[in-house]
Amino acid sequence: MLASYITIPAPRVLPRLRRRVRVRATDPDAANAAARVVADSHAYKGTLVNGFTLHSPMVSMAMLRLGATAEQIEEQEKSAFEKNSRYGLLEVEGFDPAAEAPTAETWTRFINGDEENELLLRRFWRASIRERGRSESVGACLAELWPGLQSRLHHGPIRLAYASDDDEEETAAALAAYCCNYRPPAALAAGPASASCLGALEDLRLAFQEDMDIPKVIGGLGKKYAAYSSSSEFLRSLPTVASLSSDPDASRDLLDCCLRFYLRKPGILTLHLVTGMHALLVLREDFASHYGQALSAHYTSKSPPPRFPSPF
């Protein structure tokens, strides 16, 4: 029950992370190394198969901000590239001048979950950033894609959150990767209201133990998560947390919940719930009026499967 939850001191007010990230490294060699790693990644598709292309831009920027040297950043890139190359890296598709190009009116038709049209989408977002500016372009994308922010382990918003404001090419690549790795949720939470995220998950756990008849899924957390997150019946049964869309400080409650879940069950899935939550905080101003909806979508994506021991 709640008394068994891991205790994590919670600040009275959650610090607001800066949306705008401009890198001012004291080591120009390190800054140049990080920029080169980001540029190198653009030769490959932003798909989970290409772990290198997904993570190297983010890792290099994080290392730079933590004070890493050029040599350390380059060594990390080399190690990641070698580790992933044995699986076969997928290069971004070539440009077909005869192909229909996305426009401000039609780009949503190019959204897909099959890793298609990535280069066309990069070109569209690059042009959009130059014409409308970064803030308006990113806001337009998030306003459309917030329901599926959990797609491919939250990598859409995560990569976007790490993109530096003054790196037009990486921001365009991040937006394109989000668009062509997009999988909308089967449903969003629509069950009885709970006062908090922690309370909602406890209510859910007790409901499945006592009342609800849900087919058992054999396997670990990842397999169960995949099964139940694709079930519209299960997702609609999740308790709602009204404060997520109405309380500007509700993100603290959800962040606390994500951290507790990770500390109780550390792994790839729970790690990305934390980094996905970090991305929402960084992109808060870009989500604008959709921020509360994005929090609700993240809450839905992180709810633990039934018939699994409480993560707290």
Side-chain angles (χ1 to χ4, degrees):
M1 301 269 272
L2 289 175
S4 67
Y5 290 171
I6 297 172
T7 300
I8 301 176
R12 295 182 65 84
V13 179
L14 183 69
R16 186 183 293 253
L17 299 183
R18 292 180 302 163
R19 175 183 63 84
R20 297 278 178 169
V21 179
R22 294 190 181 278
V23 178
R24 295 184 176 88
T26 56
D27 183 352
D29 290 337
N32 289 335
R36 184 183 59 76
V37 171
V38 172
D40 286 350
S41 73
H42 296 160
Y44 304 98
K45 293 182 67 64
T47 168
L48 282 179
V49 176
N50 286 345
F52 161 74
T53 68
L54 276 179
H55 295 95
S56 282
M58 298 176 279
V59 172
S60 64
M61 297 307 294
M63 292 180 68
L64 178 64
R65 293 163 193 166
L66 290 170
T69 66
E71 291 73 19
Q72 290 171 324
I73 293 171
E74 290 166 352
E75 182 59 33
Q76 190 282 328
E77 180 199 25
K78 178 181 177 182
S79 175
F81 190 95
E82 291 177 348
K83 180 177 180 180
N84 203 79
S85 61
R86 63 176 176 267
Y87 300 108
L89 290 167
L90 299 179
E91 295 185 359
V92 71
E93 64 269 18
F95 175 63
D96 180 2
E100 178 187 2
T103 68
E105 293 73 31
T106 66
W107 73 269
T108 55
R109 298 207 324 254
F110 290 77
I111 297 171
N112 67 91
D114 301 315
E115 307 163 9
E116 296 178 349
N117 302 316
E118 185 166 353
L119 185 60
L120 286 173
L121 285 162
R122 285 189 194 179
R123 291 169 63 91
F124 164 72
W125 286 117
R126 185 192 306 120
S128 175
I129 292 168
R130 291 175 179 174
E131 179 180 348
R132 299 192 292 170
R134 180 192 184 280
S135 181
E136 186 174 342
S137 297
V138 171
C141 183
L142 294 179
E144 189 70 33
L145 301 188
W146 68 262
L149 54 84
Q150 86 298 333
S151 302
R152 306 294 176 93
L153 288 176
H154 303 80
H155 277 111
I158 292 173
R159 181 171 179 178
L160 186 58
Y162 272 95
S164 176
D165 267 7
D166 53 10
D167 191 335
E168 174 186 288
E169 198 66 33
E170 172 57 12
T171 300
L175 291 170
Y178 196 174
C179 289
C180 63
N181 289 279
Y182 181 77
R183 295 181 178 178
L188 295 176
S194 293
S196 68
C197 293
L198 292 174
L201 296 182
E202 180 67 4
D203 292 344
L204 176 66
R205 188 176 69 86
L206 294 176
F208 276 111
Q209 285 181 348
E210 299 170 2
D211 305 316
M212 304 187 74
D213 183 20
I214 298 294
K216 186 175 181 180
V217 174
I218 304 299
L221 177 60
K223 187 173 183 179
K224 292 180 179 181
Y225 179 85
Y228 291 116
S229 64
S230 62
S231 168
S232 58
E233 178 184 4
F234 168 66
L235 295 178
R236 281 194 294 266
S237 72
L238 295 174
T240 56
V241 183
S243 62
L244 289 178
S245 57
S246 61
D247 182 356
D249 291 323
S251 46
R252 187 191 71 180
D253 176 32
L254 184 54
L255 174 61
D256 185 42
C257 200
C258 291
L259 290 171
R260 291 170 185 258
F261 197 6
Y262 174 73
L263 291 173
R264 180 64 181 86
K265 286 288 179 182
I268 294 296
L269 171 61
T270 53
L271 171 65
H272 284 86
L273 292 174
V274 173
T275 53
M277 184 66 207
H278 168 264
L280 295 190
L281 294 170
V282 172
L283 297 170
R284 180 172 184 162
E285 292 181 22
D286 289 309
F287 276 106
S289 61
H290 297 284
Y291 183 65
Q293 294 169 301
L295 290 178
S296 296
H298 192 62
Y299 155 75
T300 300
S301 75
K302 69 156 295 307
S303 298
R307 299 187 183 277
F308 197 85
S310 171
F312 307 108

